[in-house]
Structure formats: C-alpha cells, structure tokens
Amino acid sequence: MPASEVSAAAMAARLSTLGLPARVEEDRRHTSVEAELPDGLSAELWRKVLDVVAEADRFGLLATSLNGRTLWAVVRKTVPTTGDVGGPSHQR
C-alpha cells in the first residue's frame, strides 16, 4: 500500500475516533480525506482536528449554506519536483 494511502487511512481513523466519520478517496496524484463537521465544535476538538490534518500536504474547509462544512485533506502520492511545488498555478 502506498505511503499516501497509509497516511490518509490513519488520518481518517483518527478523525473517526474524534466522532467525525471520514471518507478516503484515491486520485491519480493524491489520496484525499473528507469529513463533515457539525456546528458548534469546541475549541478543544478543533485543535485535535487541526493536529490530525496538519500531517497532510494540504488541507482546508469548504463551508456553504447548502451543504454545511466539509473538512478536506490531501496527501500527495509522489514528492513534487522543484518546478511543480504548489501546483501549476504556482510555477515560476
């Protein structure tokens, strides 16, 4: 199993133990983890959630009035080359 899958699975398991069931999805270039966040998370739980996703290469929060809040994290499958750091929009 690739390291990205292992890392994403570990993040998903940690989020689940915090009461936030997570799903893992595979892509050609990365493995992603997503979890729906309920309203009213305590500051302590937010810190724990951020500790989990801090291990990812990228993470964020998608919040909409229609779908609530979705936490996402991405783990790359390969280490980017110098020219590819940050993705195509960040190349020099």
Side-chain angles (χ1 to χ4, degrees), residues 12-77:
R14 289 177 61 198
L15 289 170
S16 292
T17 58
L18 294 174
L20 304 170
R23 56 194 171 276
V24 178
E25 295 184 14
E26 290 298 318
D27 186 79
R28 183 176 60 86
R29 297 175 66 183
H30 63 267
T31 304
S32 63
V33 178
E34 292 184 355
E36 303 304 318
L37 298 180
D39 291 331
L41 256 62
S42 68
E44 180 181 347
L45 187 53
W46 267 113
R47 280 190 291 276
K48 290 178 181 178
V49 167
L50 290 174
D51 283 344
V52 172
V53 296
E55 298 172 9
D57 291 311
R58 295 182 315 173
F59 65 88
L61 181 67
L62 175 62
T64 68
S65 59
L66 297 175
N67 298 327
R69 299 182 304 175
T70 303
L71 173 73
W72 59 268
V74 172
V75 181
R76 288 189 197 104
K77 289 188 177 183

